[in-house]
Amino acid sequence: MPAMTSHVPIEPSILYFGTPVVLLSTENADGSFNLAPMSSAWALGRTVVLGLGSRGQTARNLRDRPELVINLPGPELWPAVERLAPLTGRNPVPEAKAAHFRFEPRKFAAAGLREQPSETVRPPRVAECPLHLEARAERVRPDASGGFLIVEAAVRKVHADPRIVLPGTHHVDPGAWSPLIYNFRHYFGLGPELGHTFRSETPRAGDHAAAAGG
């Protein structure tokens, strides 16, 4: 057994303790499109819950135009994500963001990413991302602090790069897909697989062999 250690109380400035990065594409009032990175997203069945700043362009867009695409980049796209990080689609830039952000209306071009038409919503997908979730924001509400919005987005359609899909199935291959992880403001990919839950529908190849031999 590993030796027990004493924990120490800390006061971290942020609590991004290792969550996937997503790129949200939404529609602006003039019919153009915004693209924004965020790292507070998690799924409940076919609903993805998003947490985002209440003063950004994405929040403004989703209040008035609820269609969006949740694009999931792989680790190799972290430079494109970081190019988006200091940009905002709000003009003028909100006072609270003015010290660190600048207005940029052409987010896709600024990040070096390509628009790909969606099938069920108006905002485009990010062509370079291996996974796209076309969705609609069914509920948008403030969080307890008032500084963020909690968005419940119902997924309408999922698109996947065929290289990360198990052949002949609708399952994403966990061994082929690696999300970009935002870990206390640093970017990471996944390490080697450690195991899988008993409910997995995509067990490892070695498990198939073991089962056949047993």
Side-chain angles (χ1 to χ4, degrees), residues 34 52-61 63 88 90 94 97:
N34 188 57
L52 50 105
S54 61
R55 298 180 180 88
Q57 186 65 21
T58 298
R60 172 179 285 184
N61 287 346
R63 288 188 186 103
T88 178
R90 285 289 298 272
K97 303 179 74 171

Side-chain angles (χ1 to χ4, degrees), residues 37 56 126 144 149 207:
V126 177
L149 289 185
D207 294 337

